[in-house]
Amino acid sequence: MLFCAACEHEVHSMRLFEHHRKGERDRVVPWELFSLTLPWATFDRLLGCGTELAAWFGKVLATLVHVLKREPSRSGVYLPDPLAMLAALQPSAVTRATELYGVVETSGAHTRGAVVFDWAHATTNKPNCTLVQDMDYDAFVAFLERVFAERS
């Protein structure tokens, strides 16, 4: 299973890390990875390709883009869901990852709905997930180009 940590609402509807299948590990794409942004020129070029999907995507993101473009320090847009999709569909685009034990905090003792990792290996639990730490930017752009270029 792929879990995009940016989609916090999904934590409540999934029993993350509690359903291991034939030794597969869950792949987690965390918030920190979303510093991988598309520059505005690239984003605008992709949305301008003329397909129905690109037009729809532009409408869905219109409010976010409007807000982000008003931030002087913002050089582009972050797209967490397509980035997580790329990690699932093209694992070779993942350039750095760490095998860790992780659980979703559900008791509310320290937080609620957050994924907590055993970075210090303080437990005897074996790794049950792969934490994606970096991805190939060019592969991300190529993925988006392929997706948006497909005929609707």
Side-chain angles (χ1 to χ4, degrees):
M1 172 195 293
L2 173 78
F3 173 68
C4 173
C7 302
E8 188 174 317
H9 65 277
E10 292 179 26
V11 171
H12 301 290
S13 62
M14 293 184 199
R15 300 290 297 175
L16 186 62
F17 304 126
E18 294 178 15
H19 66 283
H20 302 284
R21 303 167 316 274
K22 299 178 184 176
E24 288 182 36
R25 291 204 169 112
D26 294 316
R27 190 173 304 132
V28 180
V29 181
W31 267 113
E32 292 81 8
L33 192 56
F34 303 127
S35 60
L36 185 66
T37 60
L38 280 182
W40 291 120
T42 303
F43 179 74
D44 292 339
R45 178 179 56 79
L46 289 169
L47 292 187
C49 73
T51 63
E52 287 179 37
L53 178 61
W56 174 84
F57 199 71
K59 288 178 187 175
V60 168
L61 292 179
T63 300
L64 173 66
V65 168
H66 176 73
V67 169
L68 293 178
K69 282 189 172 183
R70 290 177 24 195
E71 294 180 21
S73 63
R74 177 70 60 186
S75 61
V77 64
Y78 50 89
L79 300 172
D81 291 334
L83 193 60
M85 288 169 46
L86 178 61
L89 297 172
Q90 187 180 326
S92 62
V94 175
T95 58
R96 188 166 55 102
T98 301
E99 304 295 318
L100 293 167
Y101 176 76
V103 295
V104 176
E105 171 67 65
T106 58
S107 67
H110 304 288
T111 183
R112 176 156 273 167
V115 181
V116 180
F117 296 103
D118 182 8
W119 282 100
H121 307 287
T123 70
T124 57
N125 298 317
K126 292 182 181 176
N128 62 348
C129 66
T130 301
L131 178 67
V132 176
Q133 294 176 283
D134 203 1
M135 293 183 67
D136 181 339
Y137 174 80
D138 293 332
F140 182 47
V141 172
F143 171 71
L144 292 173
E145 287 172 341
R146 284 191 312 272
V147 168
F148 287 126
E150 290 181 9
R151 299 230 180 253
S152 307

